[in-house]
């Protein structure tokens, strides 16, 4: 049995999320994750987090929404960080590098904006390629497998404590 290599990533236009993109993003999230997507602990974070649309990106392939990554402002143990999620790719384009391009762009933008790091809930084997590692001291709201709570530091070490709203300084 031979393994087929991943198709090369399409030439995408990565643009910051705009308010007009919301209906297309919601439709993509429904296709990518199904009806159970709103029951996850990550959704509990998004309920209180402040959206960072200027650090969130849509991937466009010839005018079609190919994928999206969203970042949110939160605090962990009182320390400001960003929360990544959801990351979604059109099911027809998965395994083609769209997600990789989106995560790399979001992390570049987060670092350039002076953020300390990015937190997410996801698969370590996938996200480790971007510098994410398990963050054992982070406490998510609701039940979450602690091996899936990952952090990429840009400055300092991984924060510790509960994920909570970020308060203005």
């Amino acid at each position: 049995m031979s393994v087929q290599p991943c198709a090369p990533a399409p030439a995408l236009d990565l643009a910051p999320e705009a308010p007009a993109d919301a209906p297309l993003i919601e439709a993509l999230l429904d296709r990518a994750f199904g009806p159970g997507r709103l029951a996850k602990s990550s959704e509990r974070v998004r309920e209180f987090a402040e959206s960072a649309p200027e650090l969130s990106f849509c991937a466009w392939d010839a005018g079609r929404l190919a994928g999206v990554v969203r970042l949110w402002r939160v605090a962990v143990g009182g320390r400001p960080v960003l929360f990544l999620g959801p990351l979604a790719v059109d099911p027809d384009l998965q395994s083609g590098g769209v997600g990789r391009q989106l995560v790399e762009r979001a992390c570049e933008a987060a670092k350039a904006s002076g953020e300390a790091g990015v937190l997410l809930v996801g698969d370590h084997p996938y996200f480790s390629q971007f510098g994410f590692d398990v963050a054992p001291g982070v406490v998510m709201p609701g039940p979450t497998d602690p091996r899936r709570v990952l952090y990429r530091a840009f400055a300092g070490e991984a924060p510790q404590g509960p994920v909570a709203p970020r308060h203005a300084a």
Side-chain angles (χ1 to χ4, degrees):
M1 179 174 158
S2 66
V3 175
Q4 297 294 324
C6 290
L12 299 171
D13 177 25
L14 299 180
E17 180 181 332
D21 301 330
L24 292 173
I25 291 170
E26 289 302 313
L28 173 62
L29 295 174
D30 286 342
R31 285 193 315 276
F33 296 114
R37 73 179 175 96
L38 299 177
K40 297 181 178 191
S41 64
S42 293
E43 191 61 31
R44 302 297 69 82
V45 172
R46 290 187 284 273
E47 287 173 353
F48 63 71
E50 176 192 345
S51 173
E54 73 283 5
L55 302 174
S56 302
F57 293 90
C58 292
W60 299 96
D61 180 21
R64 174 182 169 209
L65 182 62
V68 64
V69 63
R70 286 179 159 171
L71 290 177
W72 306 80
R73 291 178 179 89
V74 298
V76 175
R79 182 174 167 202
V81 300
L82 291 171
F83 184 76
L84 187 151
L87 167 65
V89 175
D90 186 291
D92 294 338
L93 299 173
Q94 290 178 352
S95 300
V98 175
R100 177 179 42 78
Q101 290 183 51
L102 285 164
V103 172
E104 287 173 349
R105 182 66 170 273
C107 287
E108 289 168 6
K111 184 176 181 181
S113 73
E115 292 287 342
V118 176
L119 175 72
L120 61 81
V121 177
D123 295 322
H124 186 265
Y126 178 75
F127 287 101
S128 65
Q129 70 182 310
F130 308 109
F132 286 87
D133 204 357
V134 176
V138 175
V139 180
M140 290 288 295
T144 305
D145 181 345
R147 296 169 298 183
R148 294 178 48 82
V149 179
L150 310 176
Y151 186 76
R152 178 178 172 185
F154 303 131
E157 297 182 15
Q160 296 191 17
V163 179
R166 184 189 291 194
H167 300 290

